[in-house]
Amino acid sequence: MTSDPAASPPSQTCTGPTPTPLSDPAFSLPAEVDLGRVTDADSVLIALDFDGVLSPLRDNPDLSRMLPKSERAIADLSILPGTRVALVSGRDIATLRHLTDPPEGVWLVGSHGAEVDLGASSPASSPSPAVTMTQPEVSAEEQQMLTAIDAHIDSFEHDLSSGSGLGSQSGSGSVTEVRVERKPFSRTVHTRGLDAEFASALHAHVIAVQSEHPGIRVIEGHDITELAVKTATKGDGLRALIAAGTPAAVLYLGDDVTDEDAFAELEDFTMGLGIKVGPAPTRAPWRITDPSAVAELLTRIAHERRAQLPRS
């Protein structure tokens, strides 16, 4: 993600059901976004992607952390009556929880919607019952696909370590390493900051596994290639959150191609509002620049919803 609105959008493609963007909103300042349906609603679900939205994108995904201002705003929002915060991410839930340390009562959706965790308890202010949903099982067929993905990645790493791969031919100042995030239902190969020719060769090598196993879903995002064995989307995850909390209004913020499924889900929700973070094509009706703008927006929402509370 870039904070420069004039920058060219990153290449984003996804094999699977991700919808085609329908709009191209201009960039708005956080103060300009029409938030009336969110700040005035009796109950609201505020669903947020993590990487590129709450946290700036990092070359090393293990270093991703929420901006302090967003962290404070989420803590403030999570204790307001009728206000539910959820994090919706491609990360698996265990990693997402480790990186964010969310306040009690914040719901989590991980692995692009395959995992949904509504926690062991709900705040007293929430009308929702206490529910916990655990991650689904990996079937024998899915495990076979994960094993095949690992084998493709391992073969590239073997060629690299033996000196027969592209890394031995790259310039001395280039970065040539294989960065893999291993999740319960997918493998994500990160190429941010790598030598361009090396990254291209790595990408071509790992997606070749789909020709052997067509059931593998290839997801392209911001300098990542994800190979998933389940077809769940962030739209599925958002639908589960709405069903569990039955909010009067829903806000969703996302920056990547996989967030378009969530934006599409909101198109049939009268009180739904989608906000795209960054320059890429989108179905969302509003757009802001970067995680710093997200932090400002969340702080504004917390302030305006708090102002709606009856004074004792």
Side-chain angles (χ1 to χ4, degrees):
M1 145 125 33
T2 175
S3 60
D4 178 8
S8 298
S11 173
Q12 297 183 329
T13 60
C14 176
T15 62
T18 299
T20 301
L22 294 178
S23 65
D24 186 21
F27 280 89
S28 297
L29 296 173
E32 297 172 336
V33 179
D34 182 0
L35 293 172
R37 70 186 68 181
V38 174
T39 57
D40 298 342
D42 291 338
S43 62
V44 63
L45 168 66
I46 300 170
L48 308 161
D49 185 20
F50 174 62
D51 294 286
V53 173
L54 297 175
S55 167
L57 296 173
R58 304 294 187 192
D59 288 355
N60 182 348
D62 294 337
L63 300 180
S64 296
R65 293 295 184 275
M66 202 181 304
L67 292 181
K69 190 171 183 179
S70 284
E71 192 172 15
R72 290 192 297 271
I74 288 173
D76 290 344
L77 287 164
S78 67
I79 61 175
L80 292 178
T83 306
R84 172 70 68 181
V85 179
L87 306 184
V88 181
S89 178
R91 306 274 195 153
D92 63 275
I93 280 181
T95 300
L96 183 62
R97 189 177 294 282
H98 170 72
L99 294 177
T100 64
D101 190 22
E104 184 179 359
V106 172
W107 287 350
L108 303 177
V109 172
S111 299
H112 301 292
E115 299 176 281
V116 180
D117 186 351
L118 306 185
S121 63
S122 298
S125 60
S126 171
S128 305
V131 180
T132 299
M133 297 177 66
T134 57
Q135 69 181 34
E137 297 289 333
V138 176
S139 69
E141 182 182 6
E142 289 166 344
Q143 185 57 58
Q144 184 181 23
M145 290 190 286
L146 286 172
T147 300
I149 294 168
D150 288 336
H152 267 250
I153 295 171
D154 289 346
S155 69
F156 189 90
E157 289 181 309
H158 179 267
D159 289 346
L160 185 63
S161 63
S162 66
S164 60
L166 183 64
S168 61
Q169 305 168 25
S170 299
S172 59
S174 62
V175 179
T176 55
E177 61 178 322
V178 181
R179 302 170 180 154
V180 182
E181 188 178 358
R182 300 181 188 276
K183 306 176 187 178
F185 313 114
S186 66
R187 304 292 186 259
T188 301
V189 178
H190 294 262
T191 55
R192 180 173 293 274
L194 299 186
D195 173 83
E197 188 177 0
F198 176 85
S200 178
L202 173 59
H203 170 267
H205 186 91
V206 297
I207 66 171
V209 70
Q210 193 186 43
S211 64
E212 302 169 15
H213 298 272
I216 294 173
R217 184 184 181 204
V218 177
I219 305 169
E220 306 281 7
H222 290 299
D223 297 306
I224 66 100
T225 300
E226 183 152 359
L227 305 168
V229 300
K230 288 192 181 292
T231 59
T233 70
K234 290 182 179 179
D236 298 323
L238 183 60
R239 193 181 314 118
L241 294 174
I242 293 171
T246 60
V250 179
L251 171 67
Y252 187 89
L253 274 76
D255 76 308
D256 215 338
V257 64
T258 54
D259 296 300
E260 295 304 314
D261 294 294
F263 292 141
E265 188 68 25
L266 288 181
E267 290 172 359
D268 294 326
F269 195 87
T270 305
M271 293 293 285
L273 176 63
I275 301 177
K276 174 75 173 184
V277 181
T282 186
R283 298 176 74 94
W286 289 88
R287 186 194 302 276
I288 59 178
T289 54
D290 56 20
S292 294
V294 171
E296 291 184 37
L297 189 80
L298 293 177
T299 301
R300 176 190 161 194
I301 294 171
H303 174 77
E304 293 185 8
R305 280 195 66 78
R306 192 182 301 113
Q308 296 290 332
L309 296 176
R311 299 185 183 276
S312 55

